[in-house]
Amino acid sequence: MCSGSSMAVDQISLTHILSMQEKKAWTDVKLTSPQLSREGMYKFALKSLQIQCVSSSETRNPFVENAVQYSLAAARATFDKNKIESLHKLLLLGLDITILGGNDFYSYRNLIERYGLPLTSESLATLPPFSSITLNIEDASGASCRPEVAKTGLGSSAAMTTAVVSALLHYFGVVRLSLSNDPQERKNIEDLDVVHKIAQTAHCIAQGKVGSGFDVSSAVYGSQRYVRFSPEVISYAQVSANAGFLLEAITNVLKGKWDHERTEFSLPPLMTLLLGEPGTGGSSTPSMVGSVKKWQKSDPHKSQEMWRRLSEANSALEMQLKLLSGLAKEQWDAYKYVIDSCSMLRSDKWIEQASEPNKEAVIKALLGAKDAMLQIRYHMRTVGEAAGVPIEPESQTRLLDATMNLEGVLLAGVPGAGGFDAVFAVTLGGSSTNVSKVWGSLDVLALLVTEDPRGVSIENADPRTNEITSAVSAIHIE
C-alpha cells in the first residue's frame, strides 16, 4: 500500500511538472561555438517569437538569432493547430545548437607560419577539421584584447545562417531534407525553396541590407547561375520584424513572389577551382560596394555603359564554359586529350594541339573562355578606377597575370567584390598542384576548398569525425 501510495504521488508530481512546463511562455536556447570558445544563452518567447540574450553581449550572434526566430515563425505560419501544439511541447525541451565552420572559411596563415611550416595546402591539410579560430591579440600592457577572426571571404555568415535555418526547419518537420550526397537524387525542390526564402530573409535582416543573395542561394541549392530577387519581396519583413509582427511578416515572405533566377551550372569536366589567400590584408565589401553605387549615381551614363560591357564579358565566359561542357559530352576522347595536353602547356602553346577539327573546337573554346576572363578583369579594373576603389589592386593584377601565364591555367581573377581578400584560378587536368606550389613561393596560400554542387544536406554522422574538404557550415541541434 505504501508502494502504491508513493507511485500515485510520483505520478501527480510528474503531471504537475508537465502542466507547469506547458504553461511556460518561453524556452531556453543554448548556442555553442567551439571554435571561438564561446557559449551563449537565450530566452525565446514562444508566443511573441522574440529572442533575448541572457549571457554576455559578446556571445550574441544576430545571424543565429534571426535564423531561430524566422524558422519558428515559418513553422507557426505553416502548421495546423495539432502540429503547433506538438511544436510547443518540442520547444519546451529547449534548443541546444552547436555551430562548426569548415577550415576554409577562416585564415590559418598565422598558425602555419608560427609552426614553421611551408605555406602550402599540404600544411593546411595537417590541421584538424574545425580548428579553433580564436586569435587572442595582446595590447602593449600584455592584456588580452577581444579575439579577432580573419576570414577568407567565402560567405561564412550566409553559410551559417542557411545551415541553422535548414537544421531547424528539418528538426521541426517543416521540410524534409535529403540525406543523399548525389545532387541528382535531391528532388525536394519545394522544401529547398522554403529554406531559401527563410534563410535569405534572416540573413538580410541580420546584416542590415539586401545583398546579392548569391551566397545564401549557393548554400541552399549548390552550384548555379543566379540573378537576385527583387528586394521588395522581403520589405515587409524588414519593417515588421522589429514591430512585433514577425509571424505576419514571415507569412508574407513565404507567399511572396520571389522573382530570382536560378539555373544549374558547374565547371566542365577535368577542371579544378583553386582559391588562394594572398595575406595582403582584408577588404571591406560593404564599403567598396557603397563607393561603386555612389559612382553609379554620380555618372549614370558612363556607369551603365561599363556595366553593359562587363555583363557581356560575363555572358561570353558562361557561353564558352557551357560549350566546353557540351563538347565533353559529345566527343569525350578529343576533349580529354586536349585538356591533358594543355594542362602541361602555357596557353600560347595550346593551339599547337589542334591536330584535328574536334580537338580544335575544344581549344578554341578554351581560348575563348580565357579571352572573356581577361575582358572581365579589364572592365572590373575600369569600374574600380572610376569608383576610386581597388577592385583589382595592382598587387593582385601582378599575381593574376603571373598565374594566367602558368602551364594549364585557364582562368584567374578576384572573387566577389574584389579587393585584397582572395584570388581564384581554374586549372586544367592535374596542373593545380603546380599552381599551388607557385602560389606558395609568391606568399599565397592555396586553400583546400573545392567546388561542391550539393548545396544544403543532412549529415548522417558528427562531421567532426569525418574528413571535410569543402567549405561547409555544420549545425548540430538537440
Side-chain angles (χ1 to χ4, degrees), residues 213-237:
F214 177 65
D215 43 8
V216 170
S217 187
S218 297
V220 174
Y221 300 106
S223 300
Q224 62 188 274
R225 181 187 186 278
Y226 173 83
V227 177
R228 192 189 74 173
F229 57 89
S230 298
E232 291 76 19
V233 75
I234 66 166
S235 59
Y236 187 77

mmCIF file with all atom_site columns, all heavy atoms in Angstrom, residues 213-237:
data_model
loop_
_atom_site.group_PDB
_atom_site.id
_atom_site.type_symbol
_atom_site.label_atom_id
_atom_site.label_alt_id
_atom_site.label_comp_id
_atom_site.label_asym_id
_atom_site.label_entity_id
_atom_site.label_seq_id
_atom_site.pdbx_PDB_ins_code
_atom_site.Cartn_x
_atom_site.Cartn_y
_atom_site.Cartn_z
_atom_site.occupancy
_atom_site.B_iso_or_equiv
_atom_site.pdbx_formal_charge
_atom_site.auth_seq_id
_atom_site.auth_comp_id
_atom_site.auth_asym_id
_atom_site.auth_atom_id
_atom_site.pdbx_PDB_model_num
ATOM 1   N N   . GLY A 1 213 ? 22.532 38.060 -52.377 1.00 0.00 ? 213 GLY A N   1
ATOM 2   C CA  . GLY A 1 213 ? 21.807 36.831 -52.066 1.00 0.00 ? 213 GLY A CA  1
ATOM 3   C C   . GLY A 1 213 ? 22.419 35.590 -52.685 1.00 0.00 ? 213 GLY A C   1
ATOM 4   O O   . GLY A 1 213 ? 21.949 34.473 -52.458 1.00 0.00 ? 213 GLY A O   1
ATOM 5   N N   . PHE A 1 214 ? 23.492 35.770 -53.466 1.00 0.00 ? 214 PHE A N   1
ATOM 6   C CA  . PHE A 1 214 ? 24.089 34.634 -54.171 1.00 0.00 ? 214 PHE A CA  1
ATOM 7   C C   . PHE A 1 214 ? 24.700 33.617 -53.207 1.00 0.00 ? 214 PHE A C   1
ATOM 8   O O   . PHE A 1 214 ? 24.609 32.411 -53.424 1.00 0.00 ? 214 PHE A O   1
ATOM 9   C CB  . PHE A 1 214 ? 25.150 35.130 -55.150 1.00 0.00 ? 214 PHE A CB  1
ATOM 10  C CG  . PHE A 1 214 ? 25.872 34.039 -55.885 1.00 0.00 ? 214 PHE A CG  1
ATOM 11  C CD1 . PHE A 1 214 ? 25.182 33.228 -56.771 1.00 0.00 ? 214 PHE A CD1 1
ATOM 12  C CD2 . PHE A 1 214 ? 27.221 33.819 -55.698 1.00 0.00 ? 214 PHE A CD2 1
ATOM 13  C CE1 . PHE A 1 214 ? 25.828 32.211 -57.459 1.00 0.00 ? 214 PHE A CE1 1
ATOM 14  C CE2 . PHE A 1 214 ? 27.879 32.803 -56.372 1.00 0.00 ? 214 PHE A CE2 1
ATOM 15  C CZ  . PHE A 1 214 ? 27.182 32.003 -57.259 1.00 0.00 ? 214 PHE A CZ  1
ATOM 16  N N   . ASP A 1 215 ? 25.324 34.119 -52.123 1.00 0.00 ? 215 ASP A N   1
ATOM 17  C CA  . ASP A 1 215 ? 25.966 33.192 -51.189 1.00 0.00 ? 215 ASP A CA  1
ATOM 18  C C   . ASP A 1 215 ? 24.954 32.317 -50.471 1.00 0.00 ? 215 ASP A C   1
ATOM 19  O O   . ASP A 1 215 ? 25.175 31.124 -50.273 1.00 0.00 ? 215 ASP A O   1
ATOM 20  C CB  . ASP A 1 215 ? 26.848 33.947 -50.182 1.00 0.00 ? 215 ASP A CB  1
ATOM 21  C CG  . ASP A 1 215 ? 26.194 35.200 -49.631 1.00 0.00 ? 215 ASP A CG  1
ATOM 22  O OD1 . ASP A 1 215 ? 24.996 35.416 -49.911 1.00 0.00 ? 215 ASP A OD1 1
ATOM 23  O OD2 . ASP A 1 215 ? 26.882 35.969 -48.924 1.00 0.00 ? 215 ASP A OD2 1
ATOM 24  N N   . VAL A 1 216 ? 23.809 32.885 -50.100 1.00 0.00 ? 216 VAL A N   1
ATOM 25  C CA  . VAL A 1 216 ? 22.756 32.088 -49.463 1.00 0.00 ? 216 VAL A CA  1
ATOM 26  C C   . VAL A 1 216 ? 22.165 31.092 -50.458 1.00 0.00 ? 216 VAL A C   1
ATOM 27  O O   . VAL A 1 216 ? 21.971 29.913 -50.142 1.00 0.00 ? 216 VAL A O   1
ATOM 28  C CB  . VAL A 1 216 ? 21.639 32.993 -48.894 1.00 0.00 ? 216 VAL A CB  1
ATOM 29  C CG1 . VAL A 1 216 ? 20.432 32.156 -48.460 1.00 0.00 ? 216 VAL A CG1 1
ATOM 30  C CG2 . VAL A 1 216 ? 22.161 33.804 -47.715 1.00 0.00 ? 216 VAL A CG2 1
ATOM 31  N N   . SER A 1 217 ? 21.897 31.554 -51.668 1.00 0.00 ? 217 SER A N   1
ATOM 32  C CA  . SER A 1 217 ? 21.320 30.666 -52.682 1.00 0.00 ? 217 SER A CA  1
ATOM 33  C C   . SER A 1 217 ? 22.261 29.510 -52.996 1.00 0.00 ? 217 SER A C   1
ATOM 34  O O   . SER A 1 217 ? 21.821 28.363 -53.163 1.00 0.00 ? 217 SER A O   1
ATOM 35  C CB  . SER A 1 217 ? 21.021 31.465 -53.951 1.00 0.00 ? 217 SER A CB  1
ATOM 36  O OG  . SER A 1 217 ? 20.314 30.683 -54.889 1.00 0.00 ? 217 SER A OG  1
ATOM 37  N N   . SER A 1 218 ? 23.565 29.784 -53.063 1.00 0.00 ? 218 SER A N   1
ATOM 38  C CA  . SER A 1 218 ? 24.540 28.724 -53.312 1.00 0.00 ? 218 SER A CA  1
ATOM 39  C C   . SER A 1 218 ? 24.570 27.727 -52.167 1.00 0.00 ? 218 SER A C   1
ATOM 40  O O   . SER A 1 218 ? 24.694 26.515 -52.383 1.00 0.00 ? 218 SER A O   1
ATOM 41  C CB  . SER A 1 218 ? 25.940 29.325 -53.509 1.00 0.00 ? 218 SER A CB  1
ATOM 42  O OG  . SER A 1 218 ? 25.981 30.147 -54.643 1.00 0.00 ? 218 SER A OG  1
ATOM 43  N N   . ALA A 1 219 ? 24.466 28.236 -50.929 1.00 0.00 ? 219 ALA A N   1
ATOM 44  C CA  . ALA A 1 219 ? 24.468 27.349 -49.770 1.00 0.00 ? 219 ALA A CA  1
ATOM 45  C C   . ALA A 1 219 ? 23.246 26.435 -49.773 1.00 0.00 ? 219 ALA A C   1
ATOM 46  O O   . ALA A 1 219 ? 23.310 25.294 -49.320 1.00 0.00 ? 219 ALA A O   1
ATOM 47  C CB  . ALA A 1 219 ? 24.506 28.173 -48.481 1.00 0.00 ? 219 ALA A CB  1
ATOM 48  N N   . VAL A 1 220 ? 22.136 26.920 -50.304 1.00 0.00 ? 220 VAL A N   1
ATOM 49  C CA  . VAL A 1 220 ? 20.903 26.123 -50.338 1.00 0.00 ? 220 VAL A CA  1
ATOM 50  C C   . VAL A 1 220 ? 20.920 25.127 -51.498 1.00 0.00 ? 220 VAL A C   1
ATOM 51  O O   . VAL A 1 220 ? 20.704 23.925 -51.306 1.00 0.00 ? 220 VAL A O   1
ATOM 52  C CB  . VAL A 1 220 ? 19.666 27.027 -50.448 1.00 0.00 ? 220 VAL A CB  1
ATOM 53  C CG1 . VAL A 1 220 ? 18.389 26.172 -50.622 1.00 0.00 ? 220 VAL A CG1 1
ATOM 54  C CG2 . VAL A 1 220 ? 19.526 27.902 -49.211 1.00 0.00 ? 220 VAL A CG2 1
ATOM 55  N N   . TYR A 1 221 ? 21.165 25.616 -52.704 1.00 0.00 ? 221 TYR A N   1
ATOM 56  C CA  . TYR A 1 221 ? 20.980 24.802 -53.908 1.00 0.00 ? 221 TYR A CA  1
ATOM 57  C C   . TYR A 1 221 ? 22.266 24.225 -54.487 1.00 0.00 ? 221 TYR A C   1
ATOM 58  O O   . TYR A 1 221 ? 22.218 23.305 -55.298 1.00 0.00 ? 221 TYR A O   1
ATOM 59  C CB  . TYR A 1 221 ? 20.299 25.629 -55.003 1.00 0.00 ? 221 TYR A CB  1
ATOM 60  C CG  . TYR A 1 221 ? 18.937 26.160 -54.641 1.00 0.00 ? 221 TYR A CG  1
ATOM 61  C CD1 . TYR A 1 221 ? 18.756 27.514 -54.346 1.00 0.00 ? 221 TYR A CD1 1
ATOM 62  C CD2 . TYR A 1 221 ? 17.827 25.323 -54.599 1.00 0.00 ? 221 TYR A CD2 1
ATOM 63  C CE1 . TYR A 1 221 ? 17.504 28.027 -54.033 1.00 0.00 ? 221 TYR A CE1 1
ATOM 64  C CE2 . TYR A 1 221 ? 16.564 25.825 -54.289 1.00 0.00 ? 221 TYR A CE2 1
ATOM 65  C CZ  . TYR A 1 221 ? 16.409 27.180 -53.999 1.00 0.00 ? 221 TYR A CZ  1
ATOM 66  O OH  . TYR A 1 221 ? 15.174 27.676 -53.688 1.00 0.00 ? 221 TYR A OH  1
ATOM 67  N N   . GLY A 1 222 ? 23.433 24.771 -54.152 1.00 0.00 ? 222 GLY A N   1
ATOM 68  C CA  . GLY A 1 222 ? 24.679 24.312 -54.738 1.00 0.00 ? 222 GLY A CA  1
ATOM 69  C C   . GLY A 1 222 ? 25.083 25.164 -55.927 1.00 0.00 ? 222 GLY A C   1
ATOM 70  O O   . GLY A 1 222 ? 24.622 26.299 -56.089 1.00 0.00 ? 222 GLY A O   1
ATOM 71  N N   . SER A 1 223 ? 25.955 24.637 -56.804 1.00 0.00 ? 223 SER A N   1
ATOM 72  C CA  . SER A 1 223 ? 26.469 25.386 -57.948 1.00 0.00 ? 223 SER A CA  1
ATOM 73  C C   . SER A 1 223 ? 25.316 25.834 -58.848 1.00 0.00 ? 223 SER A C   1
ATOM 74  O O   . SER A 1 223 ? 24.410 25.057 -59.154 1.00 0.00 ? 223 SER A O   1
ATOM 75  C CB  . SER A 1 223 ? 27.447 24.525 -58.744 1.00 0.00 ? 223 SER A CB  1
ATOM 76  O OG  . SER A 1 223 ? 28.531 24.129 -57.936 1.00 0.00 ? 223 SER A OG  1
ATOM 77  N N   . GLN A 1 224 ? 25.401 27.076 -59.321 1.00 0.00 ? 224 GLN A N   1
ATOM 78  C CA  . GLN A 1 224 ? 24.286 27.618 -60.097 1.00 0.00 ? 224 GLN A CA  1
ATOM 79  C C   . GLN A 1 224 ? 24.673 28.919 -60.779 1.00 0.00 ? 224 GLN A C   1
ATOM 80  O O   . GLN A 1 224 ? 25.693 29.538 -60.464 1.00 0.00 ? 224 GLN A O   1
ATOM 81  C CB  . GLN A 1 224 ? 23.101 27.920 -59.160 1.00 0.00 ? 224 GLN A CB  1
ATOM 82  C CG  . GLN A 1 224 ? 23.459 28.970 -58.115 1.00 0.00 ? 224 GLN A CG  1
ATOM 83  C CD  . GLN A 1 224 ? 22.387 29.146 -57.069 1.00 0.00 ? 224 GLN A CD  1
ATOM 84  O OE1 . GLN A 1 224 ? 21.453 29.912 -57.258 1.00 0.00 ? 224 GLN A OE1 1
ATOM 85  N NE2 . GLN A 1 224 ? 22.525 28.436 -55.957 1.00 0.00 ? 224 GLN A NE2 1
ATOM 86  N N   . ARG A 1 225 ? 23.829 29.325 -61.719 1.00 0.00 ? 225 ARG A N   1
ATOM 87  C CA  . ARG A 1 225 ? 23.847 30.679 -62.277 1.00 0.00 ? 225 ARG A CA  1
ATOM 88  C C   . ARG A 1 225 ? 22.685 31.397 -61.619 1.00 0.00 ? 225 ARG A C   1
ATOM 89  O O   . ARG A 1 225 ? 21.565 30.881 -61.587 1.00 0.00 ? 225 ARG A O   1
ATOM 90  C CB  . ARG A 1 225 ? 23.658 30.636 -63.795 1.00 0.00 ? 225 ARG A CB  1
ATOM 91  C CG  . ARG A 1 225 ? 23.678 32.013 -64.455 1.00 0.00 ? 225 ARG A CG  1
ATOM 92  C CD  . ARG A 1 225 ? 23.315 31.901 -65.926 1.00 0.00 ? 225 ARG A CD  1
ATOM 93  N NE  . ARG A 1 225 ? 23.449 33.154 -66.633 1.00 0.00 ? 225 ARG A NE  1
ATOM 94  C CZ  . ARG A 1 225 ? 22.530 34.121 -66.646 1.00 0.00 ? 225 ARG A CZ  1
ATOM 95  N NH1 . ARG A 1 225 ? 21.386 33.960 -65.972 1.00 0.00 ? 225 ARG A NH1 1
ATOM 96  N NH2 . ARG A 1 225 ? 22.732 35.220 -67.329 1.00 0.00 ? 225 ARG A NH2 1
ATOM 97  N N   . TYR A 1 226 ? 22.918 32.603 -61.128 1.00 0.00 ? 226 TYR A N   1
ATOM 98  C CA  . TYR A 1 226 ? 21.933 33.227 -60.238 1.00 0.00 ? 226 TYR A CA  1
ATOM 99  C C   . TYR A 1 226 ? 21.702 34.690 -60.615 1.00 0.00 ? 226 TYR A C   1
ATOM 100 O O   . TYR A 1 226 ? 22.633 35.412 -60.945 1.00 0.00 ? 226 TYR A O   1
ATOM 101 C CB  . TYR A 1 226 ? 22.461 33.137 -58.802 1.00 0.00 ? 226 TYR A CB  1
ATOM 102 C CG  . TYR A 1 226 ? 21.660 33.871 -57.748 1.00 0.00 ? 226 TYR A CG  1
ATOM 103 C CD1 . TYR A 1 226 ? 20.534 33.301 -57.174 1.00 0.00 ? 226 TYR A CD1 1
ATOM 104 C CD2 . TYR A 1 226 ? 22.055 35.137 -57.312 1.00 0.00 ? 226 TYR A CD2 1
ATOM 105 C CE1 . TYR A 1 226 ? 19.821 33.977 -56.194 1.00 0.00 ? 226 TYR A CE1 1
ATOM 106 C CE2 . TYR A 1 226 ? 21.348 35.808 -56.333 1.00 0.00 ? 226 TYR A CE2 1
ATOM 107 C CZ  . TYR A 1 226 ? 20.226 35.222 -55.776 1.00 0.00 ? 226 TYR A CZ  1
ATOM 108 O OH  . TYR A 1 226 ? 19.514 35.889 -54.805 1.00 0.00 ? 226 TYR A OH  1
ATOM 109 N N   . VAL A 1 227 ? 20.429 35.097 -60.555 1.00 0.00 ? 227 VAL A N   1
ATOM 110 C CA  . VAL A 1 227 ? 20.044 36.501 -60.682 1.00 0.00 ? 227 VAL A CA  1
ATOM 111 C C   . VAL A 1 227 ? 19.223 36.845 -59.451 1.00 0.00 ? 227 VAL A C   1
ATOM 112 O O   . VAL A 1 227 ? 18.271 36.140 -59.111 1.00 0.00 ? 227 VAL A O   1
ATOM 113 C CB  . VAL A 1 227 ? 19.216 36.754 -61.958 1.00 0.00 ? 227 VAL A CB  1
ATOM 114 C CG1 . VAL A 1 227 ? 18.778 38.219 -62.014 1.00 0.00 ? 227 VAL A CG1 1
ATOM 115 C CG2 . VAL A 1 227 ? 20.017 36.393 -63.196 1.00 0.00 ? 227 VAL A CG2 1
ATOM 116 N N   . ARG A 1 228 ? 19.574 37.940 -58.786 1.00 0.00 ? 228 ARG A N   1
ATOM 117 C CA  . ARG A 1 228 ? 18.992 38.290 -57.489 1.00 0.00 ? 228 ARG A CA  1
ATOM 118 C C   . ARG A 1 228 ? 17.492 38.556 -57.551 1.00 0.00 ? 228 ARG A C   1
ATOM 119 O O   . ARG A 1 228 ? 16.951 39.011 -58.558 1.00 0.00 ? 228 ARG A O   1
ATOM 120 C CB  . ARG A 1 228 ? 19.691 39.539 -56.936 1.00 0.00 ? 228 ARG A CB  1
ATOM 121 C CG  . ARG A 1 228 ? 19.379 39.812 -55.474 1.00 0.00 ? 228 ARG A CG  1
ATOM 122 C CD  . ARG A 1 228 ? 19.896 41.164 -55.023 1.00 0.00 ? 228 ARG A CD  1
ATOM 123 N NE  . ARG A 1 228 ? 19.095 42.253 -55.555 1.00 0.00 ? 228 ARG A NE  1
ATOM 124 C CZ  . ARG A 1 228 ? 19.251 43.526 -55.201 1.00 0.00 ? 228 ARG A CZ  1
ATOM 125 N NH1 . ARG A 1 228 ? 20.190 43.861 -54.352 1.00 0.00 ? 228 ARG A NH1 1
ATOM 126 N NH2 . ARG A 1 228 ? 18.491 44.460 -55.731 1.00 0.00 ? 228 ARG A NH2 1
ATOM 127 N N   . PHE A 1 229 ? 16.829 38.290 -56.436 1.00 0.00 ? 229 PHE A N   1
ATOM 128 C CA  . PHE A 1 229 ? 15.410 38.594 -56.269 1.00 0.00 ? 229 PHE A CA  1
ATOM 129 C C   . PHE A 1 229 ? 15.227 40.099 -56.057 1.00 0.00 ? 229 PHE A C   1
ATOM 130 O O   . PHE A 1 229 ? 16.152 40.810 -55.656 1.00 0.00 ? 229 PHE A O   1
ATOM 131 C CB  . PHE A 1 229 ? 14.837 37.827 -55.070 1.00 0.00 ? 229 PHE A CB  1
ATOM 132 C CG  . PHE A 1 229 ? 15.553 38.095 -53.778 1.00 0.00 ? 229 PHE A CG  1
ATOM 133 C CD1 . PHE A 1 229 ? 15.181 39.129 -52.935 1.00 0.00 ? 229 PHE A CD1 1
ATOM 134 C CD2 . PHE A 1 229 ? 16.629 37.292 -53.394 1.00 0.00 ? 229 PHE A CD2 1
ATOM 135 C CE1 . PHE A 1 229 ? 15.850 39.382 -51.749 1.00 0.00 ? 229 PHE A CE1 1
ATOM 136 C CE2 . PHE A 1 229 ? 17.312 37.524 -52.205 1.00 0.00 ? 229 PHE A CE2 1
ATOM 137 C CZ  . PHE A 1 229 ? 16.921 38.575 -51.383 1.00 0.00 ? 229 PHE A CZ  1
ATOM 138 N N   . SER A 1 230 ? 14.017 40.580 -56.294 1.00 0.00 ? 230 SER A N   1
ATOM 139 C CA  . SER A 1 230 ? 13.712 41.986 -56.042 1.00 0.00 ? 230 SER A CA  1
ATOM 140 C C   . SER A 1 230 ? 13.666 42.223 -54.529 1.00 0.00 ? 230 SER A C   1
ATOM 141 O O   . SER A 1 230 ? 12.990 41.478 -53.812 1.00 0.00 ? 230 SER A O   1
ATOM 142 C CB  . SER A 1 230 ? 12.364 42.366 -56.651 1.00 0.00 ? 230 SER A CB  1
ATOM 143 O OG  . SER A 1 230 ? 12.395 42.191 -58.059 1.00 0.00 ? 230 SER A OG  1
ATOM 144 N N   . PRO A 1 231 ? 14.357 43.242 -54.027 1.00 0.00 ? 231 PRO A N   1
ATOM 145 C CA  . PRO A 1 231 ? 14.384 43.497 -52.581 1.00 0.00 ? 231 PRO A CA  1
ATOM 146 C C   . PRO A 1 231 ? 12.998 43.683 -51.970 1.00 0.00 ? 231 PRO A C   1
ATOM 147 O O   . PRO A 1 231 ? 12.803 43.419 -50.780 1.00 0.00 ? 231 PRO A O   1
ATOM 148 C CB  . PRO A 1 231 ? 15.208 44.792 -52.476 1.00 0.00 ? 231 PRO A CB  1
ATOM 149 C CG  . PRO A 1 231 ? 16.061 44.796 -53.696 1.00 0.00 ? 231 PRO A CG  1
ATOM 150 C CD  . PRO A 1 231 ? 15.215 44.173 -54.769 1.00 0.00 ? 231 PRO A CD  1
ATOM 151 N N   . GLU A 1 232 ? 12.026 44.108 -52.798 1.00 0.00 ? 232 GLU A N   1
ATOM 152 C CA  . GLU A 1 232 ? 10.686 44.362 -52.267 1.00 0.00 ? 232 GLU A CA  1
ATOM 153 C C   . GLU A 1 232 ? 10.030 43.118 -51.674 1.00 0.00 ? 232 GLU A C   1
ATOM 154 O O   . GLU A 1 232 ? 9.128  43.214 -50.839 1.00 0.00 ? 232 GLU A O   1
ATOM 155 C CB  . GLU A 1 232 ? 9.775  44.918 -53.381 1.00 0.00 ? 232 GLU A CB  1
ATOM 156 C CG  . GLU A 1 232 ? 10.127 46.314 -53.850 1.00 0.00 ? 232 GLU A CG  1
ATOM 157 C CD  . GLU A 1 232 ? 11.351 46.331 -54.749 1.00 0.00 ? 232 GLU A CD  1
ATOM 158 O OE1 . GLU A 1 232 ? 11.683 45.254 -55.289 1.00 0.00 ? 232 GLU A OE1 1
ATOM 159 O OE2 . GLU A 1 232 ? 11.970 47.404 -54.897 1.00 0.00 ? 232 GLU A OE2 1
ATOM 160 N N   . VAL A 1 233 ? 10.496 41.926 -52.083 1.00 0.00 ? 233 VAL A N   1
ATOM 161 C CA  . VAL A 1 233 ? 9.851  40.693 -51.633 1.00 0.00 ? 233 VAL A CA  1
ATOM 162 C C   . VAL A 1 233 ? 10.017 40.492 -50.128 1.00 0.00 ? 233 VAL A C   1
ATOM 163 O O   . VAL A 1 233 ? 9.212  39.799 -49.488 1.00 0.00 ? 233 VAL A O   1
ATOM 164 C CB  . VAL A 1 233 ? 10.394 39.475 -52.416 1.00 0.00 ? 233 VAL A CB  1
ATOM 165 C CG1 . VAL A 1 233 ? 11.784 39.084 -51.944 1.00 0.00 ? 233 VAL A CG1 1
ATOM 166 C CG2 . VAL A 1 233 ? 9.459  38.281 -52.307 1.00 0.00 ? 233 VAL A CG2 1
ATOM 167 N N   . ILE A 1 234 ? 11.047 41.109 -49.525 1.00 0.00 ? 234 ILE A N   1
ATOM 168 C CA  . ILE A 1 234 ? 11.224 40.982 -48.074 1.00 0.00 ? 234 ILE A CA  1
ATOM 169 C C   . ILE A 1 234 ? 11.065 42.336 -47.369 1.00 0.00 ? 234 ILE A C   1
ATOM 170 O O   . ILE A 1 234 ? 11.408 42.464 -46.190 1.00 0.00 ? 234 ILE A O   1
ATOM 171 C CB  . ILE A 1 234 ? 12.590 40.380 -47.713 1.00 0.00 ? 234 ILE A CB  1
ATOM 172 C CG1 . ILE A 1 234 ? 13.732 41.317 -48.103 1.00 0.00 ? 234 ILE A CG1 1
ATOM 173 C CG2 . ILE A 1 234 ? 12.774 39.009 -48.336 1.00 0.00 ? 234 ILE A CG2 1
ATOM 174 C CD1 . ILE A 1 234 ? 15.055 40.939 -47.485 1.00 0.00 ? 234 ILE A CD1 1
ATOM 175 N N   . SER A 1 235 ? 10.554 43.336 -48.075 1.00 0.00 ? 235 SER A N   1
ATOM 176 C CA  . SER A 1 235 ? 10.447 44.679 -47.492 1.00 0.00 ? 235 SER A CA  1
ATOM 177 C C   . SER A 1 235 ? 9.542  44.697 -46.270 1.00 0.00 ? 235 SER A C   1
ATOM 178 O O   . SER A 1 235 ? 9.821  45.393 -45.283 1.00 0.00 ? 235 SER A O   1
ATOM 179 C CB  . SER A 1 235 ? 9.934  45.673 -48.544 1.00 0.00 ? 235 SER A CB  1
ATOM 180 O OG  . SER A 1 235 ? 8.667  45.274 -49.036 1.00 0.00 ? 235 SER A OG  1
ATOM 181 N N   . TYR A 1 236 ? 8.441  43.919 -46.300 1.00 0.00 ? 236 TYR A N   1
ATOM 182 C CA  . TYR A 1 236 ? 7.533  43.897 -45.152 1.00 0.00 ? 236 TYR A CA  1
ATOM 183 C C   . TYR A 1 236 ? 8.223  43.295 -43.935 1.00 0.00 ? 236 TYR A C   1
ATOM 184 O O   . TYR A 1 236 ? 8.027  43.745 -42.803 1.00 0.00 ? 236 TYR A O   1
ATOM 185 C CB  . TYR A 1 236 ? 6.270  43.097 -45.487 1.00 0.00 ? 236 TYR A CB  1
ATOM 186 C CG  . TYR A 1 236 ? 5.217  43.176 -44.408 1.00 0.00 ? 236 TYR A CG  1
ATOM 187 C CD1 . TYR A 1 236 ? 4.431  44.321 -44.270 1.00 0.00 ? 236 TYR A CD1 1
ATOM 188 C CD2 . TYR A 1 236 ? 5.014  42.123 -43.525 1.00 0.00 ? 236 TYR A CD2 1
ATOM 189 C CE1 . TYR A 1 236 ? 3.471  44.397 -43.275 1.00 0.00 ? 236 TYR A CE1 1
ATOM 190 C CE2 . TYR A 1 236 ? 4.055  42.195 -42.526 1.00 0.00 ? 236 TYR A CE2 1
ATOM 191 C CZ  . TYR A 1 236 ? 3.287  43.336 -42.403 1.00 0.00 ? 236 TYR A CZ  1
ATOM 192 O OH  . TYR A 1 236 ? 2.352  43.428 -41.412 1.00 0.00 ? 236 TYR A OH  1
ATOM 193 N N   . ALA A 1 237 ? 9.048  42.300 -44.157 1.00 0.00 ? 237 ALA A N   1
ATOM 194 C CA  . ALA A 1 237 ? 9.782  41.692 -43.056 1.00 0.00 ? 237 ALA A CA  1
ATOM 195 C C   . ALA A 1 237 ? 10.773 42.677 -42.455 1.00 0.00 ? 237 ALA A C   1
ATOM 196 O O   . ALA A 1 237 ? 11.000 42.706 -41.246 1.00 0.00 ? 237 ALA A O   1
ATOM 197 C CB  . ALA A 1 237 ? 10.513 40.438 -43.527 1.00 0.00 ? 237 ALA A CB  1
#
